[in-house]
Amino acid sequence: MNILIIGGGGVVGQKLAHALAAKGTLRGDAITRLTLADVKDPTGLDAPFDVETVTCDIADAASVNQLIKADTDVIYLLAAIVSAHAEEDFEAGMNINLFGTYNVLERCRALGTAPVVVFTSSIAVYGGDIPNPLGDHSYPNPQTSYGGQKAIGEILINDYSRKGYVDGRAFRLPTISVRPGKPNRAASGFMSSILREPLNGQEAICPVAPDFLHYYLSPRKCVENLIKGAELQAMDLGTNRVMQMPGRVWSIAQLIEAMTAVAGDAPAQLIRWDAQPEVKRIVSGWKWDIHADRAEALGLSADDSFEDNIRYYLEDDKPAA
Amino acid sequence: MNILIIGGGGVVGQKLAHALAAKGTLRGDAITRLTLADVKDPTGLDAPFDVETVTCDIADAASVNQLIKADTDVIYLLAAIVSAHAEEDFEAGMNINLFGTYNVLERCRALGTAPVVVFTSSIAVYGGDIPNPLGDHSYPNPQTSYGGQKAIGEILINDYSRKGYVDGRAFRLPTISVRPGKPNRAASGFMSSILREPLNGQEAICPVAPDFLHYYLSPRKCVENLIKGAELQAMDLGTNRVMQMPGRVWSIAQLIEAMTAVAGDAPAQLIRWDAQPEVKRIVSGWKWDIHADRAEALGLSADDSFEDNIRYYLEDDKPAA
């Protein structure tokens, strides 16, 4: 079992690599090789199988053709220009999110080896005046270029799978929280930073009211679902390879209550409430009444409680004091 | 008003050109120039404005860049590799239907002139296990590469419009009948040929039963809707530029009854009933319970009766004896 993670340097890619190293198998076969590819050389890891780290520009077909080999069994395509970035730099978003996906699928078609391709889509495909609830079979009406490019990726995954060029599956990821690492300037950044920074003993700003609702999944559970996602059998997927990955709806108040329940009263005191109309304007257009019936029926799952999300952060990611 | 029809050599493109010549204006302005572009030099026409015919390969960005000029006000993007052809030749479908659309939109973005772009999508975007009724906000679940490429075109039209690069609008065309010209090998070909050939005094084969239902529009009404479609105001379109073009559901028996009502008993005698399981297998997966609420609210419309479709064929297309 030879696995390639494109976007292997990112938060999810790195966690997935470690989870695969711990598991040792995928789709019932021992993992013999894992390649982590990213635009910058990704961090490697110790594993009971060969690990290679490589740089690759998926916008460049020649680079992709070198990366994906005839003996590649499973490809995780996680690389993306994210929301705010794709909005600012339209060309970068198109080149990576649309043509990068196309280059990966075309390489598989040329090889004729029909590898499993696990593609991460996003709840950013939902948007605009589409009635709730939303889910697997809702009309994708993205209001960002990132969401549009992900919706296009879904269609390509379906068509290349229908033609037998790949054995694809695409999962619309919920917002991942608690996301480790540095605060970023994404509009969704506060959904992790209001927890992560206080848990690290630092101040954080919450730009929306406590009753703001959103759809969340922990990084640990996301990785668990991505592994299950690769292990699904084509015969169980039918004519459509796209589904919502399970998440759960929580208010900001519930996130903070969960943090307090797990880590005591102190962290919540570090949150400064500073309403930011511009952030509120963006995120109030986001969808949260989202359901993942198909994935749940196939055995994927959400976190049991947000207290779990907090615990996973403390166990997996909190920097040593 | 400088208009470009890409796919100007096709049945719809030619009829659209003649309708524009008869009308003389578009979006309230006198038409000054019409360019008909196609992969082979399209037939020209007499018109009260300049008409140019040119060849263009929309899969080639340089060819598109030469075609679309800074003074192009309205672009009709009708060119496509159709269903059966795109299924047989995957690369041709991707190159024309996906990259051709992309090249046109990218040229508009580079020019910065935000022309009106009217894109013809198709009811082929519907498919699979999606519950009826289907319409503007149904989940596109195409079961052909052509349908997938059209669904991708819709997303691109929306995103380039949202960004202000074009003023786009996309219409999912019903099956056009009675379509003039030679019989072709498309699975849907019989939906015109069982009427056209008998009206021309020739035999035709009907490969499905009289109760087979489908969603139809006449070429004349399609062109009328495409003109109205260009004239819609952006402010009335909101965050989504994609809609179903109105059509009507008829059974094969109703098509033939309409033909008999208009043209007498003789034509129907020329239909030979020859059930073809392979055709039936393909077309029984096609969707027909389709509704065009948005377009109807915006003033687009379907044929009043299929007798009109028959009359339009006799008036507009029947070859002189």
Side-chain angles (χ1 to χ4, degrees), chain A residues 86-91 94-95 98-99 102 106 109 128-131 136-149 151-152 154-156 158-160 162-163 165 172 239-240 242, chain B residues 86-91 94-95 98-99 102 106 109 128-131 136-149 151-152 154-156 158-160 162-163 165 172 239-240 242:
Chain A
E87 215 50 38
E88 271 167 38
D89 187 343
F90 184 78
E91 281 178 40
M94 291 294 276
N95 288 341
L98 197 166
F99 294 105
Y102 170 76
E106 275 295 288
R109 185 170 78 89
D129 302 326
I130 305 301
D136 300 317
H137 291 166
S138 297
Y139 177 62
N141 190 25
Q143 301 299 309
T144 58
S145 296
Y146 171 75
Q149 290 145 10
I152 290 171
E154 292 181 357
I155 295 169
L156 293 176
N158 266 338
D159 201 47
Y160 278 73
R162 187 186 61 79
K163 295 287 281 187
Y165 301 145
R172 296 179 182 148
T239 61
N240 190 292
V242 180
Chain B
E87 213 53 36
E88 270 168 40
D89 187 343
F90 184 78
E91 280 178 39
M94 290 294 277
N95 288 340
L98 198 166
F99 294 106
Y102 170 76
E106 274 294 289
R109 185 170 78 88
D129 302 326
I130 305 300
D136 301 318
H137 292 166
S138 296
Y139 177 62
N141 190 25
Q143 301 300 309
T144 59
S145 296
Y146 171 74
Q149 290 145 9
I152 290 172
E154 293 182 356
I155 295 170
L156 293 175
N158 267 337
D159 202 47
Y160 278 74
R162 187 186 61 80
K163 297 286 281 188
Y165 302 143
R172 295 178 184 150
T239 60
N240 191 292
V242 180

Side-chain angles (χ1 to χ4, degrees), chain A residues 246-269:
Chain A
R248 287 190 67 180
V249 181
W250 308 106
S251 68
I252 295 288
Q254 286 174 310
L255 305 188
I256 296 171
E257 278 161 28
M259 175 167 70
T260 298
V262 173
D265 291 334
Q269 310 299 324

Side-chain angles (χ1 to χ4, degrees), chain B residues 18 52 64 85 112-113 139 141 227 234 238 255 278-279 306 314:
Chain B
H18 284 271
E52 193 187 3
V64 170
H85 186 174
T113 51
Y139 177 62
N141 190 25
I227 290 173
L255 305 188
E278 177 60 13
V279 171
F306 203 85
L314 297 176

